Amino acid sequence: MFIPFISKRAAQNVKILHPRKGGGGGGKVGGGDGGGRGGGGSPHSTSISADGTTKTATDFGVGGGKSSPIPAGQLFGGRESGGGTRAEVYGTSQYGSGYPGISQRGVANLGFPFVFWPIAWGGAVGIGAGAYLHTSEYGRPDNTSRPGGLLTTATFVSSSNANTTLRLLADNVTTISLISDIQASCSSNLNNESSSFTSAPYHDSLSSLPQPEQTIQYYRASTVALTLDGYNNTSVFEPEGTPDVPLPSNIDTTLLNCLNTTIGEAVPLVDGAGLSAANMNILGLLYIAWSLSSLF
């Protein structure tokens, strides 16, 4: 698995996700030094309200299907929604990364390839090169019209390194789902007393954590962020193309790798064309059975 600034890409079996201008990220889905959940776990599904209807989001799901325009009269009517796949969930450290086929910083006037809305950092309207971080287009972080609910956070503290506190920021459905997946995958590296395994509302004051300059990785078209306390990536406030500030060298990279892999593997995706990961497995087994029967 590839972690920006830390690991080198393996020579083989690596899915290259092309970095956006302005900073490098990406990852390999399904591998990693820290490892994901052994055996992949059992997918579970949650209903979300989006685009005027109820949709099913599944952790470890494959996503996909065809995108379609949001009906007129609904929020963001006319924009495209859906179609994003598991192979496309990794962005970079730059806000606005992870939109399939789009290579520009920021989230203004974009569709919703994974149905979920991008993170709203809130705060005062920005100025200069950092203005794109504080758009009001998708409402405040506590906007309950957001698919999956208001933005919430969870905190994951290393059991072996006091310099490593990682935070997850996403809609509430996604945060709750990933908390259980991260606990299942990374428990041996977590300080259970200092970590928070319940979602908490995100408050967008200047003193609240996390902050956009602390983000080390975006996922699912910038609808999920992983941040590191103490990291100050000032490139997000500079013109697009400014190199990222390297991550500190004295952090728990094992825990970081584990969270990055687990989020990439497990972040809930809206099922495409009615197919969840579990259904795909069943279809695969039926195909194998049919193939074997044709031999006799």
Side-chain angles (χ1 to χ4, degrees):
M1 181 193 66
F2 175 65
I3 294 284
F5 322 117
I6 295 178
S7 60
K8 295 182 178 179
R9 297 189 187 276
Q12 57 185 1
N13 298 327
V14 174
K15 176 177 177 60
I16 301 297
L17 299 178
H18 299 287
R20 295 277 304 280
K21 285 180 64 179
K28 178 193 172 202
V29 175
D33 302 326
R37 178 189 295 180
S42 298
H44 63 270
S45 300
T46 305
S47 295
I48 63 168
S49 296
D51 309 339
T53 186
T54 299
K55 301 178 184 291
T56 300
T58 305
D59 69 338
F60 298 98
V62 295
K66 291 185 177 180
S67 65
S68 60
I70 297 173
Q74 300 298 321
L75 293 171
F76 305 108
R79 297 193 193 184
E80 290 292 309
S81 178
T85 67
R86 178 67 56 187
E88 298 169 314
V89 298
Y90 281 99
T92 71
S93 59
Q94 296 291 321
Y95 184 52
S97 63
Y99 282 80
I102 296 177
S103 57
Q104 65 180 30
R105 193 165 67 171
V107 298
N109 303 312
L110 296 179
F112 308 96
F114 295 94
V115 179
F116 295 89
W117 296 358
I119 286 169
W121 286 110
V125 176
I127 59 174
Y132 70 100
L133 291 166
H134 299 287
T135 175
S136 60
E137 184 173 342
Y138 306 98
R140 293 176 53 83
D142 59 359
N143 180 5
T144 56
S145 297
R146 171 181 294 272
L150 74 169
L151 290 179
T152 57
T153 65
T155 306
F156 304 96
V157 181
S158 169
S159 59
S160 62
N161 188 321
N163 296 312
T164 307
T165 296
L166 297 160
R167 298 179 193 268
L168 174 71
L169 176 63
D171 62 275
N172 196 45
V173 163
T174 297
T175 300
I176 291 173
S177 179
L178 286 174
I179 287 172
S180 62
D181 294 322
I182 289 169
Q183 283 183 287
S185 300
C186 310
S187 59
S188 62
N189 304 115
L190 289 170
N191 183 326
N192 291 326
E193 294 183 359
S194 301
S195 300
S196 66
F197 299 128
T198 56
S199 63
Y202 172 64
H203 301 289
D204 59 341
S205 69
L206 293 177
S207 60
S208 296
L209 296 177
Q211 292 291 324
E213 63 269 24
Q214 297 174 323
T215 301
I216 55 180
Q217 186 73 50
Y218 286 99
Y219 310 84
R220 208 181 59 183
S222 292
T223 64
V224 181
L226 180 65
T227 70
L228 173 67
D229 283 12
Y231 180 49
N232 185 20
N233 186 14
T234 54
S235 75
V236 303
F237 304 118
E238 302 295 333
E240 187 168 2
T242 302
D244 285 318
V245 174
L247 290 177
S249 59
N250 60 340
I251 60 174
D252 183 351
T253 57
T254 300
L255 178 61
L256 174 55
N257 286 341
C258 188
L259 262 69
N260 186 49
T261 301
T262 302
I263 296 169
E265 291 180 342
V267 64
L269 299 185
V270 171
D271 300 334
L275 292 180
S276 66
N279 291 333
M280 291 293 288
N281 289 337
I282 292 171
L283 289 175
L285 290 173
L286 290 174
Y287 176 78
I288 292 171
W290 176 83
S291 298
L292 290 174
S293 68
S294 67
L295 298 175
F296 300 98

